[in-house]
Amino acid sequence: MMESGAGWTFEEGAEVYPLFCEMSQLMPDDRGRVEWRETARWVKYEEDVETRGQRWSKPYVPTVSLKSLYDLQGYFTTQAVMLNLESDSLERTCGFVVDEWAKSGLIFESERMRVLQTLLRRHVHLYERPSGVSTLRIQPSCLTKQKKLTRRPSDFYRRQSSASMIIRVEPEKDPSKKNVNFMRKIPHNSESANILVGELNILKKPIAAFVRLKEARVLGNMTEVPLPTRFLFILLGPPGDEVKHSEQGRAIGAVMSDTKFKETAYQTQTRQGLVEGFQQFLQHTTVLPPTAWDSSIRIEPPTIDQHSVSGDCSDDEEHMDNGLKRTGKFFGGLVNDIKRKIPWYLSDFRDALSLQCLATWLFLYFACLTPIITFGGLMSIATHHNMGTMETMIAGCACGIVFALFSGQPLIILGSTGPVLVFEKILVHFCESNHLEYLEFRFWVGIWVGLTMLILVVFDASAFVSYITRFTEENFATLIAIIFMVEAVKNVMLIRKGPIISSLKVIDPNSTGTNETHLLIAENVSTPYQWEYNVDEDPLSNNDSFFKDVVASRILSPYEHEHRLSIFLMSLLLFAGTFFVSYIFKEFRTSSFLPTCVRYLVSDFAVVIAIMSMSLLDLSVGVNTPKLVVPEKFAPTLPDRGWLINPIGQNPSWSVFAATLPALLASILIFMDQQITAVIINRRDHKLKKGCGYHLDLFVLAILIVLCSAFGLPWFVAATVESLTNIGSLKVDSESAAPGEKPTFLGVREQRVSNLLIFFTIGLSVFLTPLLCHVPMPVLYGVFLYMGFSALRKMELFDRILLLFMPIKYQPEHNYLKQVPLIRVHLYTLIQVTCLALLWIIKSVKATAILFPLMVIYSSIHK
């Protein structure tokens, strides 16, 4: 116990629990029997029973009249206040309250049993149907046969007539039969505060009591949910003031749902402490003038501003918390990363036991497989078939599995990137110019790259990542997201110029029979990365001139044009359908339809549902759209090369040392690609709890690059959009969001299993060709568009660009708008957009594309 400056005492160590408040009012049922009927409840916001509709109202911010608050203050001052009451049942608690009223002279002796009978009426809640009641015969001494309590009731029971009084009460319900479904909306370890408001014709003036039980108890069926009651407020008044008494009951409900007053109610030990706590509540109460506001208007609950929540700490504090402080020891950062991740390693597998991980696996399998196949086709062209789709799939499978098992941040997804492809083209050109064997020279480049990255790990060079600012992160991530969206649209538009497959039946009019010749118009529509169509190639070169003339003039031209447009139109429908189905179903999580569990399930599997539904639509329509193509044989793309590269073959010895120069450039490319993505994933907005591992990630990546170089496989680094999509798919929201309150973002389901399954399945894709060949490429391009768009929406830069076209009165309440003048915000945005445009130009020009990561560094330094 401690004495406050005001002279009242409170219990310093008293634990404060979340409160569920429920108000019941005394009303007659259809038969005229009086009962306590639930009319309002509070978890955080108020909900009222709409009597005619027999449903709960939409949650709203509670508003009460100032007169009701002053009346409530008078009740705390003059009426019964019972703190730390020891009672284990509703009957005993009501008995103590009636005893206190009688002792204080608030009721007459003759009114005791009538008041007690009223308080023990049955309780009816909205979720339940009226049930039968049993008869409880209360003898004059039935409430005094319990064990001796600290506060003994008076002997008014013994002064009553010896005749027993009949009070009808309902049998106590089993907790499992109460409104257990609503418990999902109530915080864990909550207690209940019950409010009883009614009118009694024997009373001449209102009587009230505020009760706090020493130990929370379940008081019969008073509460609709299976929670123990800690507080009880009773208000009984004379007939004729029902609205007034109801407003006073709502007032105590609003007060008890306030965090500060709730702490006072739990901790105070005196009436004076309760009154002063209520006065502090009044001091922080905002009054709305009646001429400026209609009290019948309900105020919507406020929405959470994610920008103000996530923008509290500086970038420096963020990076220091993530282990980017130099240790001054060899491998010091790597050792710290390993120590940080080992305690979480087993939980990385246990935490994957969720349908959310299953949905992420299925979604990102297609999202990762398609760019791997596309990159493999482009790599095959760039390296003259030294590395192709099969090598890319094997590299993706091996690198993805190893990184998922041993990395410091398993939420990062490895993939192929544009700068790496540009580097491979430059390396091929260098080898051809100097008459060097490409794969052998590339082996030594990979060795030097691995050695360079190992040196960076030894000296904790990843600590320099702390100099990468939010400005650079947003520019890089926004650019990658825009590239995803632009490339998705570009690939769909190329289908209009792509090849078509069809079989025509051409009848020779000079023949005597009805022989039909099946004519193949075009072949090989399935190439997902190259849509060139050789119009000069004559598919009918082996037929006579009659068939050539007929097809060229009457059949081929009009049919080819119509069929090509049909394929293109169907591809557009599949492309747009996949995007909109994915987006709408993903946003279905926050809609008002269906139960929460169903909404979450649909949202988690949104992209999977889109892929399956659009693929079935394509199959049912029968238009021959381009399909996903996966290699059917496990063999190198170039028939005369083996899987293991000979490091000492045809190249001269000087080439081993000459490989250091391109290795240095490749090291910068890979380091920047990897670490910028890692910074974006590890930012504090995502609320990751298991820590990061910049040094460990770089160490694992160095080993993988050496192995890929030895086996002639492409190099894989962190893929920004895929990693951000992985984060978005594994978001975890609070399950006990109060009615009217949006679910709180708790963090990300940090685990290794989904990535492990994604890349393991990619390795098995060779054996899944019969299924994958039915997935249309436009559907996967729609997935790319959705991935880029969802990543773009998470960028603050995107929000600030929208502010440029938004009037001030419609702008959202972002935290930075409250602290920075709008003109400076717009100027900052324009500078960032200008840098973004320059990066796009550098990336788009082949001669300068290799300098893209260097320009990212430059923009970071000269921001």
Side-chain angles (χ1 to χ4, degrees):
M1 302 280 289
M2 291 189 63
E3 189 80 15
S4 74
W8 52 276
T9 57
F10 65 94
E11 187 175 349
E12 184 181 20
E15 190 170 0
V16 179
Y17 297 94
L19 274 184
F20 166 75
C21 301
E22 176 183 325
M23 184 173 79
S24 300
Q25 292 182 253
L26 204 59
M27 296 180 181
D29 62 5
D30 297 336
R31 304 178 186 177
R33 296 179 302 182
V34 179
E35 61 190 9
W36 291 106
R37 192 173 300 171
E38 183 181 21
T39 57
R41 65 186 180 189
W42 295 259
V43 178
K44 184 174 183 179
Y45 304 105
E46 181 175 349
E47 295 177 273
D48 297 332
V49 173
E50 296 174 340
T51 308
R52 293 187 178 181
Q54 287 297 302
R55 66 172 191 173
W56 285 107
S57 69
K58 190 175 180 180
Y60 64 95
V61 178
T63 56
V64 294
S65 66
L66 190 60
K67 177 64 168 58
S68 300
L69 293 176
Y70 283 132
D71 292 340
L72 198 59
Q73 184 179 12
Y75 294 150
F76 287 147
T77 305
T78 61
Q79 299 285 333
V81 173
M82 308 171 70
L83 303 176
N84 293 336
L85 177 65
E86 293 187 12
S87 178
D88 57 1
S89 67
L90 177 62
E91 292 80 10
R92 292 183 59 81
T93 303
C94 293
F96 280 117
V97 171
V98 173
D99 185 26
E100 183 69 19
W101 281 336
K103 187 167 60 177
S104 302
L106 297 174
I107 61 174
F108 297 108
E109 293 289 336
S110 59
E111 298 171 341
R112 287 185 172 199
M113 296 307 292
R114 178 70 183 277
V115 172
L116 180 62
Q117 181 186 27
T118 301
L119 294 180
L120 295 179
R121 295 283 184 179
R122 70 170 184 169
H123 290 260
V124 178
H125 306 94
L126 183 62
Y127 76 94
E128 61 187 351
R129 295 180 181 179
S131 57
V133 294
S134 62
T135 300
L136 174 66
R137 181 175 295 272
I138 301 183
Q139 300 292 340
S141 59
C142 69
L143 297 180
T144 60
K145 292 183 179 180
Q146 304 290 339
K147 62 181 181 179
K148 184 177 180 181
L149 299 175
T150 304
R151 184 193 299 261
R152 290 191 57 186
S154 67
D155 59 348
F156 77 95
Y157 297 111
R158 291 190 291 273
R159 294 197 299 268
Q160 295 295 320
S161 170
S162 59
S164 62
M165 182 175 181
I166 304 299
I167 299 179
R168 301 177 64 84
V169 296
E170 59 180 338
E172 185 172 345
K173 282 188 176 182
D174 186 271
S176 62
K177 295 183 179 179
K178 292 189 175 183
N179 192 5
V180 293
N181 290 330
F182 192 70
M183 289 294 293
R184 295 182 296 105
K185 299 292 185 180
I186 302 176
H188 177 68
N189 208 24
S190 293
E191 294 179 344
S192 173
N194 293 93
I195 304 165
L196 303 181
V197 178
E199 296 181 348
L200 201 56
N201 55 11
I202 63 173
L203 298 178
K204 303 300 181 182
K205 58 182 180 179
I207 56 174
F210 180 85
V211 180
R212 185 184 70 199
L213 299 181
K214 186 174 184 179
E215 298 292 338
R217 301 285 186 181
V218 177
L219 302 182
N221 300 325
M222 182 182 294
T223 311
E224 68 165 310
V225 289
L227 288 177
T229 296
R230 171 73 70 169
F231 297 96
L232 180 63
F233 180 82
I234 304 174
L235 173 62
L236 297 177
D241 287 329
E242 181 179 357
V243 175
K244 174 184 175 181
H245 297 151
S246 177
E247 282 297 306
Q248 293 169 353
R250 290 184 58 248
I252 187 62
V255 171
M256 293 301 296
S257 62
D258 178 71
T259 305
K260 293 296 183 181
F261 182 82
K262 180 179 64 176
E263 294 178 359
T264 300
Y266 266 99
Q267 296 176 351
T268 186
Q269 299 299 313
T270 64
R271 177 196 298 269
Q272 183 62 25
L274 191 67
V275 172
E276 293 190 10
F278 185 78
Q279 290 174 348
Q280 291 180 3
F281 172 83
L282 289 178
Q283 291 176 1
H284 294 87
T285 299
T286 301
V287 178
L288 295 174
T291 57
W293 175 72
D294 184 0
S295 60
S296 63
I297 298 176
R298 292 174 177 175
I299 302 176
E300 294 286 337
T303 56
I304 300 176
D305 184 3
Q306 295 295 341
H307 294 282
S308 61
V309 171
S310 61
D312 297 334
C313 296
S314 64
D315 291 334
D316 294 336
E317 292 174 346
E318 171 187 347
H319 294 311
M320 292 304 176
D321 292 341
N322 283 339
L324 285 178
K325 187 176 181 180
R326 294 180 64 99
T327 62
K329 302 178 182 178
F330 291 157
F331 291 106
L334 177 63
V335 172
N336 288 341
D337 285 350
I338 294 175
K339 290 180 179 179
R340 186 183 302 113
K341 301 305 294 187
I342 283 179
W344 299 102
Y345 196 77
L346 292 179
S347 69
D348 286 342
F349 294 90
R350 291 196 302 266
D351 294 346
L353 298 177
S354 169
L355 284 177
Q356 193 177 27
C357 294
L358 175 63
T360 302
W361 165 37
L362 297 176
F363 161 32
L364 286 176
Y365 165 66
F366 289 101
C368 293
L369 175 64
T370 307
I372 283 177
I373 294 176
T374 303
F375 183 83
L378 296 174
M379 183 67 74
S380 179
I381 297 173
T383 63
H384 306 312
H385 307 294
N386 281 285
M387 292 184 296
T389 303
M390 177 54 70
E391 287 82 3
T392 308
M393 291 179 61
I394 294 174
C397 174
C399 294
I401 290 176
V402 172
F403 197 82
L405 287 174
F406 303 109
S407 66
Q409 183 49 271
L411 294 175
I412 293 176
I413 290 183
L414 298 186
S416 50
T417 62
V420 173
L421 178 61
V422 173
F423 174 81
E424 295 287 359
K425 291 181 179 180
I426 294 175
L427 201 62
V428 170
H429 179 71
F430 178 82
C431 292
E432 290 176 348
S433 302
N434 293 276
H435 307 289
L436 299 175
E437 173 64 28
Y438 166 68
L439 290 179
E440 180 184 336
F441 185 73
R442 184 179 179 273
F443 169 83
W444 288 109
V445 173
I447 294 295
W448 288 113
V449 170
L451 182 60
T452 303
M453 296 176 66
L454 184 61
I455 294 174
L456 295 177
V457 174
V458 170
F459 293 100
D460 295 346
S462 293
F464 291 109
V465 173
S466 59
Y467 294 102
I468 298 178
T469 62
R470 187 67 174 257
F471 181 93
T472 306
E473 295 174 27
E474 288 185 349
N475 265 3
F476 183 81
T478 302
L479 180 63
I480 300 300
I482 293 176
I483 290 174
F484 251 71
M485 298 172 65
V486 171
E487 291 299 322
V489 176
K490 185 185 298 184
N491 286 332
V492 172
M493 300 307 294
L494 287 176
I495 296 178
R496 187 172 186 179
K497 301 179 181 179
I500 53 175
I501 294 180
S502 184
S503 180
L504 291 179
K505 294 182 179 180
V506 183
I507 303 177
D508 184 355
N510 296 326
S511 63
T512 56
T514 58
N515 296 327
E516 297 177 351
T517 302
H518 291 266
L519 182 63
L520 189 64
I521 298 299
E523 294 181 350
N524 199 20
V525 73
S526 56
T527 307
Y529 53 86
Q530 189 180 11
W531 285 97
E532 291 82 0
Y533 175 50
N534 189 358
V535 294
D536 297 328
E537 182 180 353
D538 187 0
L540 306 175
S541 57
N542 296 326
N543 296 320
D544 54 30
S545 60
F546 170 77
F547 281 94
K548 287 184 179 181
D549 295 339
V550 171
V551 171
S553 61
R554 299 182 181 179
I555 301 177
L556 184 57
S557 297
Y559 184 83
E560 179 183 356
H561 178 70
E562 293 180 6
H563 193 61
R564 193 185 306 278
L565 289 180
S566 298
I567 293 177
F568 178 63
L569 178 60
M570 188 63 190
S571 298
L572 284 180
L573 293 176
L574 294 175
F575 175 71
T578 303
F579 171 77
F580 285 110
V581 170
S582 300
Y583 177 76
I584 293 172
F585 279 17
K586 196 67 177 180
E587 296 298 313
F588 192 65
R589 176 186 292 260
T590 57
S591 71
S592 304
F593 301 99
L594 302 181
T596 304
C597 58
V598 178
R599 296 201 309 267
Y600 277 38
L601 188 65
V602 171
S603 177
D604 290 339
F605 285 87
V607 181
V608 178
I609 294 173
I611 293 175
M612 294 180 62
S613 60
M614 292 298 109
S615 298
L616 291 175
L617 176 63
D618 174 76
L619 189 64
S620 62
V621 172
V623 177
N624 207 356
T625 54
K627 302 296 191 296
L628 179 66
V629 176
V630 179
E632 299 181 358
K633 294 192 302 180
F634 185 79
T637 304
L638 199 64
D640 58 349
R641 64 153 283 194
W643 283 115
L644 194 62
I645 304 302
N646 184 9
I648 305 176
Q650 303 176 6
N651 291 344
S653 57
W654 60 264
S655 64
V656 175
F657 303 98
T660 55
L661 185 60
L664 181 61
L665 179 59
S667 299
I668 297 175
L669 291 174
I670 294 171
F671 181 84
M672 293 304 300
D673 260 0
Q674 175 70 31
Q675 300 297 51
I676 291 180
T677 301
V679 168
I680 295 172
I681 296 302
N682 290 316
R683 66 169 52 156
R684 70 186 310 273
D685 298 10
H686 297 145
K687 298 184 180 180
L688 303 182
K689 299 178 177 63
K690 298 183 180 181
C692 62
Y694 292 94
H695 311 279
L696 180 56
D697 289 344
L698 200 61
F699 179 75
V700 174
L701 199 63
I703 296 175
L704 292 175
I705 287 177
V706 171
L707 293 177
C708 288
S709 302
F711 288 94
L713 303 177
W715 298 333
F716 273 58
V717 296
T720 306
V721 171
E722 289 92 328
S723 300
L724 282 174
T725 305
N726 190 30
I727 288 285
S729 298
L730 294 172
K731 282 175 47 179
V732 178
D733 295 329
S734 60
E735 296 181 358
S736 60
E741 182 183 27
K742 298 296 182 182
T744 305
F745 173 59
L746 300 179
V748 178
R749 194 178 300 277
E750 301 176 62
Q751 41 80 41
R752 300 176 183 268
V753 176
S754 61
N755 282 9
L756 193 64
L757 292 175
I758 288 168
F759 290 101
F760 180 74
T761 315
I762 287 176
L764 297 178
S765 297
V766 174
F767 308 103
L768 301 177
T769 301
L771 293 177
L772 297 177
C773 66
H774 295 292
V775 180
M777 286 302 299
V779 170
L780 300 180
Y781 294 146
V783 174
F784 287 172
L785 180 64
Y786 167 74
M787 291 170 60
F789 181 73
S790 61
L792 189 63
R793 289 183 62 208
K794 300 172 185 175
M795 305 298 169
E796 186 182 285
L797 173 59
F798 182 71
D799 293 336
R800 285 189 278 108
I801 292 175
L802 296 181
L803 289 177
L804 293 171
F805 309 97
M806 193 179 299
I808 296 179
K809 61 181 179 180
Y810 297 122
Q811 291 178 356
E813 294 291 329
H814 294 322
N815 192 41
Y816 55 82
L817 291 179
K818 302 175 183 178
Q819 302 177 5
V820 182
L822 185 61
I823 185 64
R824 294 180 65 88
V825 173
H826 289 339
L827 180 61
Y828 182 85
T829 303
L830 291 176
I831 294 174
Q832 201 167 5
V833 171
T834 302
C835 293
L836 183 64
L838 290 176
L839 289 176
W840 178 272
I841 294 173
I842 293 171
K843 188 266 325 170
S844 302
V845 179
K846 292 183 179 180
T848 59
I850 195 67
L851 301 177
F852 169 70
L854 301 179
M855 293 305 299
V856 172
I857 300 176
Y858 182 83
S859 67
S860 175
I861 297 175
H862 294 273
K863 179 206 55 158

